[in-house]
């Protein structure tokens, strides 16, 4: 019979973000309120109404992977594999040192919101110009959103459950949630989980800009992402990856693994409202928040910090604020809330995983990352959003929210591990 009371802990982390290519650099960027937004130089932005984004800086995939791997992987897959490798090393789980049974009990639950957008555009152009014979035999394997999960498993010989949840900007959290549940159920002992995306391409920026979802503050990119500020006008696209190693407490203790935090629970729901716009009353978000509290078996007053979805859109930030007030009541004003998207931009399918890492580090370090770029108060957004400066706080429990186009809502709860 499955032991659904197994405790699940985080033993490794890896991150590639626009404000740092390692977990330590990412934390330093947050503590210094660094914006990752810059004018795009990696492709010609002529004809685009938005010409800036949060891209990886000083990044060369060949610093991490061999040339053949790079040629046969879309950037989203490269990012995911690199972040996962870092998390695996951090957890002390190098594949060569693991027994076959350990590998058979190690899964990969790792997704992408969109998949190989750059590959799709390139191969479509080859097809239109030269016909079928020039289309790469690697086109489909490079494109599909689940391929990062497969590549991670192949790289390390992990033969446990392997799949990719795809839920737009909630992808990272859904994959963490699935891994957590399968470990509790006894389907595996540990997993690599998280999300990755690399959608800052000309077509990707054009597509999101056409939805009027992006900030158009082209004269001042570094201050464009300003969640909960009265003059917010849209999100800033970003790229990157985040990976967590989650495992049963029993197995972590057996190998004397480092433990960053405990995964307490996950809440999921749907808005059932609109393709892209949030429920203006935050009804679906409220449901996800109530479910995470129930699943984690904690009270609303136990939560010290929430890493908000906080995309910097006028409707989204207000709806999330309403949901927090409805679920947490007066305690909503006692918690710290912040949106690290003010610094990283919106990493789409990677957002949930990277922001989970930010939440875990807040728990571990007793410091809440800031929401930068605040200038003007919005009367409808009146919580403690940790504006402009990090704040020291004893963070015992943190929630990390991630919501996606299609009305997907998720929240994951992390608690300080005290033994």
């Amino acid at each position: 019979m499955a032991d659904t009371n197994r405790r699940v802990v985080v033993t490794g982390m890896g991150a590639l973000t626009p404000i740092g290519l390692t977990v330590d650099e990412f934390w330093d960027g947050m503590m210094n309120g660094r914006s990752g937004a810059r004018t795009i130089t990696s492709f010609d932005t002529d004809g685009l109404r938005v010409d800036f984004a949060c891209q990886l800086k000083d990044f060369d995939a060949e610093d991490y992977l061999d040339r053949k791997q790079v040629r046969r992987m879309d950037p989203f897959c490269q990012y995911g594999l690199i972040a996962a490798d870092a998390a695996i090393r951090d957890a002390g789980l190098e594949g060569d040192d693991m027994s076959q049974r350990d590998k058979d009990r190690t899964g990969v639950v790792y997704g992408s919101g969109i998949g190989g957008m750059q590959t799709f555009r390139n191969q479509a152009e080859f097809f239109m110009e030269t016909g079928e014979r020039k289309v790469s035999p690697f086109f489909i394997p490079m494109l599909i959103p689940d391929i990062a999960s497969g590549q991670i498993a192949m790289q390390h010989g992990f033969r446990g459950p392997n799949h990719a949840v795809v839920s737009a900007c909630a992808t990272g959290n859904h994959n963490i949630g699935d891994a957590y549940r399968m470990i509790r159920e006894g389907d595996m002992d540990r997993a690599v989980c998280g999300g990755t995306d690399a959608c800052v391409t000309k077509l990707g920026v054009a597509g999101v800009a056409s939805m009027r979802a992006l900030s158009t503050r082209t004269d001042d990119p570094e201050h464009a992402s300003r969640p909960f500020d009265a003059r917010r006008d849209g999100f800033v696209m970003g790229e990157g990856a985040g990976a967590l190693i989650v495992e049963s407490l029993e197995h972590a203790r057996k190998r004397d693994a480092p433990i960053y935090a405990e995964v307490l629970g996950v809440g999921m729901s749907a808005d059932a409202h609109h393709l892209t716009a949030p429920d203006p009353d935050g009804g679906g978000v409220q449901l996800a928040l109530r479910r995470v509290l129930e699943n984690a078996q904690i009270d609303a007053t136990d939560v010290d910090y929430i890493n908000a979805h906080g995309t910097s859109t006028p409707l989204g930030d207000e709806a999330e604020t309403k949901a927090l007030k409805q679920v947490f009541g007066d305690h909503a004003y006692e918690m710290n809330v912040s949106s690290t998207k003010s610094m990283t931009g919106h990493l789409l399918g990677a957002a949930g995983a990277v922001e989970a890492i930010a939440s875990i580090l807040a728990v571990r370090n007793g410091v809440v990352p800031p929401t930068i770029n605040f200038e003007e108060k919005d009367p409808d957004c009146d919580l403690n959003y940790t504006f402009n400066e990090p704040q020291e706080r004893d963070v015992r429990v943190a929630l990390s929210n991630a919501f996606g186009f299609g009305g997907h809502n998720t929240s994951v709860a992390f608690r300080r591990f005290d033994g």
Side-chain angles (χ1 to χ4, degrees):
M1 181 178 292
D3 179 6
T4 57
N5 292 315
R6 284 177 119 196
R7 295 172 67 185
V8 179
V9 294
V10 178
T11 58
M13 301 188 294
L16 279 179
T17 81
I19 60 171
L21 302 181
T22 67
V23 169
D24 287 344
E25 290 177 1
F26 172 49
W27 180 251
D28 181 73
M30 290 191 293
M31 291 300 97
N32 287 284
R34 191 176 301 135
S35 170
R38 300 288 188 278
T39 299
I40 295 168
T41 58
S42 58
F43 56 85
D44 180 6
T45 59
D46 284 352
L48 296 179
R49 68 169 65 93
V50 176
D51 64 356
F52 62 94
C54 289
Q55 295 182 276
L56 301 185
K57 296 168 183 64
D58 302 318
F59 173 79
D60 184 343
E62 291 189 19
D63 290 341
Y64 306 86
L65 306 170
D66 68 46
R67 187 167 297 178
K68 180 183 289 187
Q69 285 179 302
V70 172
R71 286 201 312 267
R72 294 179 177 181
M73 291 182 191
D74 186 90
F76 92 93
C77 189
Q78 297 169 14
Y79 298 170
L81 184 56
I82 291 166
D85 286 351
I88 290 164
R89 289 193 302 272
D90 188 40
L93 283 174
E94 295 289 358
D96 291 343
D97 297 329
M98 297 173 66
S99 70
Q100 188 59 57
R101 185 179 189 283
D102 279 341
K103 291 183 180 182
D104 290 350
R105 297 283 299 169
T106 300
V108 184
V109 189
Y110 200 91
S112 173
I114 297 180
M117 178 168 279
Q118 183 169 307
T119 293
F120 185 87
R121 181 180 184 273
N122 292 344
Q123 293 299 312
E125 287 182 349
F126 292 156
F127 179 74
M128 295 302 292
E129 291 170 3
T130 62
E132 179 183 344
R133 285 181 295 178
K134 291 294 184 180
V135 174
S136 169
F138 295 100
F139 170 36
I140 298 303
M142 290 171 66
L143 167 73
I144 50 181
D146 68 301
I147 201 63
S149 187
Q151 288 279 15
I152 293 165
M154 287 184 277
Q155 179 84 358
H156 296 279
F158 296 155
R159 301 202 308 179
N162 187 292
H163 68 265
V165 181
V166 177
S167 54
C169 311
T171 291
N173 269 12
H174 270 125
N175 284 277
I176 295 169
D178 270 20
Y180 160 78
R181 289 176 182 274
M182 284 193 287
I183 292 170
R184 279 181 63 90
E185 292 289 335
D187 294 323
M188 55 185 173
D189 296 326
R190 67 188 63 81
V192 185
C193 58
T196 178
D197 253 328
C199 300
V200 183
T201 66
K202 191 164 188 175
L203 182 60
V205 173
V208 181
S210 70
M211 298 163 57
R212 308 292 179 180
L214 295 182
S215 170
T216 57
R217 202 179 291 263
T218 56
D219 59 334
D220 189 16
E222 292 186 42
H223 297 92
S225 184
R226 49 180 59 222
F228 308 108
D229 183 274
R231 293 193 293 155
R232 63 190 184 276
D233 70 328
F235 70 80
V236 177
M237 279 186 72
E239 62 181 4
L244 304 180
I245 305 300
V246 294
E247 61 183 298
S248 74
L249 176 59
E250 174 190 5
H251 282 79
R253 280 177 166 160
K254 279 182 180 178
R255 63 184 193 86
D256 197 25
I259 295 177
Y260 289 103
E262 182 172 2
V263 187
L264 280 188
V266 60
M268 307 178 188
S269 72
D271 278 352
H273 173 72
H274 188 271
L275 282 175
T276 57
D279 177 346
D281 295 322
V285 172
Q286 291 179 45
L287 189 56
L289 291 170
R290 294 187 195 281
R291 284 176 173 167
V292 73
L293 296 176
E294 179 181 6
N295 185 241
Q297 298 182 13
I298 56 176
D299 295 326
T301 53
D302 291 326
V303 178
D304 301 299
Y305 167 55
I306 294 182
N307 188 299
H309 186 59
T311 57
S312 188
T313 59
L315 293 178
D317 292 1
E318 183 178 347
E320 186 171 11
T321 298
K322 287 180 179 178
L324 294 180
K325 291 178 182 179
Q326 286 295 315
V327 173
F328 291 92
D330 291 341
H331 186 65
Y333 293 89
E334 302 298 323
M335 302 183 299
N336 276 77
V337 180
S338 72
S339 172
T340 47
K341 289 184 179 71
S342 59
M343 296 172 279
T344 65
H346 194 343
L347 305 186
L348 307 179
V354 168
E355 290 159 21
I357 292 171
S359 303
I360 291 164
L361 292 173
V363 169
R364 185 175 176 84
N365 297 331
V367 184
V368 174
T371 305
I372 67 169
N373 295 329
F374 171 72
E375 292 178 348
E376 186 175 329
K377 185 175 181 179
D378 181 343
D380 293 318
C381 295
D382 60 348
L383 303 179
N384 176 10
Y385 301 106
T386 323
F387 283 133
N388 295 333
E389 298 289 339
Q391 182 177 328
E392 292 187 6
R393 175 166 183 159
D394 182 24
V395 181
R396 182 167 177 78
V397 175
L399 303 186
S400 181
N401 292 345
F403 317 137
F405 287 161
H408 313 297
N409 304 308
T410 60
S411 185
V412 181
F414 300 97
R415 181 170 63 191
R416 181 192 307 147
F417 181 74
D418 292 328

